[in-house]
Amino acid sequence: MKLKQIERVKKISKADFISQYVKNQIPVVVEELTEDWPAYHKWKLHYIKEIAGDTIVPLYDNRPVNHQDGFNEAHTKMKMSDYINLLESKPTNYRIFLYNLMKEVPTLKEDFLWPDIGLKLVKQMPMLFFGGESSKVFMHYDIDYSNILHFHFHGEKQCMIFAPNQSKYMYKVPHALISREDIDFDNPDYDKFPALENAEGFITNLKHGEMLYMPEGYWHYMKYLTPGFSMSLRAFPKSITNLSKAVYNVFIMRHFDIMMRKFKGQKWIDYKNEKAIRDTNEHLQKTFLRKVS
């Protein structure tokens, strides 16, 4: 795929971050933003196990979307201590996804500082994500189109992201926030998914303490290269267009999709997956015809 490395800076001022990246909706990695946080020294898996080991956490794996699943419904649950033992013992597909662990363990809030970086961050939503070696987060974009500050801790993860204007190549599933789940973004099948050859994106490996800024509505695919965890802080979209899309997703699209799953069952899921291929390939063909005409 056509991927270029995300720009990196050691540190950045509020003014430069807003003018160079937020206003232009360009991603960037800030490498040393967390070095004065207690979390920079404390946030390792053994620390989370020590202070949150008895907490029951929701886990997700890589199974395809099923009509019987609720929206973002966990596949199983486990004590955090048992989950971290699993992460440290062998590769696993089980992940913690979009979980407000700080609600259960408030002392975690004392370990990080809200960055003064020019974004009005939502203080109620510091979300944590955990994964084992080689576990993957399917290609998707966030329902609320937020500007996201994504911090990684303990180990290394790979982040592949695409701007919203690349959606036409992503085999987006209708009435959803995901690409087709059978696409292997590490090794895409261009015979089956030819539009992906046209997609232009960004890639980087995040290491302990580094922060990735993902602009509004960016597609993202994450792969844990080692066991580790991340935290996302978010700010509502500044674009009125994206804010309206977020409102539509939260209050209309999500509920319509849930209703159709109940009404049509697996036929609805199959229809959406088929339509993702049909719509994307039709757009690709039209683009080709325009170029040669």
Side-chain angles (χ1 to χ4, degrees), residues 4-69:
K4 61 182 180 180
Q5 287 291 322
I6 297 173
E7 186 176 345
R8 287 175 164 264
V9 298
K10 294 290 185 184
K11 297 181 183 294
I12 194 167
S13 69
K14 181 196 308 186
D16 286 346
F17 178 68
I18 294 296
S19 65
Q20 296 177 27
Y21 300 103
V22 177
K23 285 188 176 179
N24 296 316
Q25 290 290 277
I26 296 173
V28 65
V29 173
V30 184
E31 296 177 343
E32 298 178 359
L33 183 60
T34 68
E35 288 194 346
D36 60 344
W37 294 9
Y40 184 79
H41 304 284
K42 296 166 65 175
W43 279 19
K44 305 292 178 64
L45 287 173
H46 66 82
Y47 174 70
I48 301 298
K49 181 179 175 180
E50 177 183 326
I51 67 168
D54 291 333
T55 304
I56 304 298
V57 294
L59 300 177
Y60 300 81
D61 58 27
N62 291 342
R63 71 187 69 178
V65 171
N66 187 281
H67 72 281
Q68 295 178 334
D69 296 334

Side-chain angles (χ1 to χ4, degrees), residues 94-201:
Y94 278 126
R95 297 175 289 104
I96 297 177
F97 181 75
L98 203 66
Y99 182 56
N100 192 350
L101 181 62
M102 296 177 195
K103 184 177 180 181
E104 306 293 332
V105 188
T107 54
L108 283 169
K109 295 179 181 179
E110 300 171 6
D111 291 340
F112 73 93
L113 308 175
W114 290 94
D116 183 17
I117 202 165
L119 291 174
K120 189 175 181 180
L121 299 166
V122 181
K123 295 295 181 74
Q124 293 79 16
M125 295 182 67
M127 296 297 181
L128 294 180
F129 307 78
F130 290 71
E133 180 183 344
S134 299
S135 64
K136 302 174 182 179
V137 181
F138 53 82
M139 184 68 76
H140 69 287
Y141 61 94
D142 285 10
I143 193 170
D144 59 1
Y145 276 77
S146 284
N147 292 279
I148 299 171
L149 306 182
H150 191 72
F151 301 84
H152 189 63
F153 299 94
H154 192 117
E156 188 172 355
K157 75 190 296 186
Q158 186 177 84
C159 308
M160 185 187 301
I161 66 176
F162 296 85
N165 63 10
Q166 299 299 297
S167 295
K168 54 185 176 287
Y169 304 124
M170 302 301 291
Y171 292 91
K172 179 187 177 302
V173 176
H175 310 291
L177 311 168
I178 62 174
S179 293
R180 279 194 50 130
E181 294 169 287
D182 54 344
I183 297 175
D184 179 0
F185 278 91
D186 293 319
N187 186 27
D189 183 346
Y190 294 128
D191 291 330
K192 186 175 182 180
F193 306 109
L196 290 174
E197 284 195 279
N198 298 277
E200 298 180 0

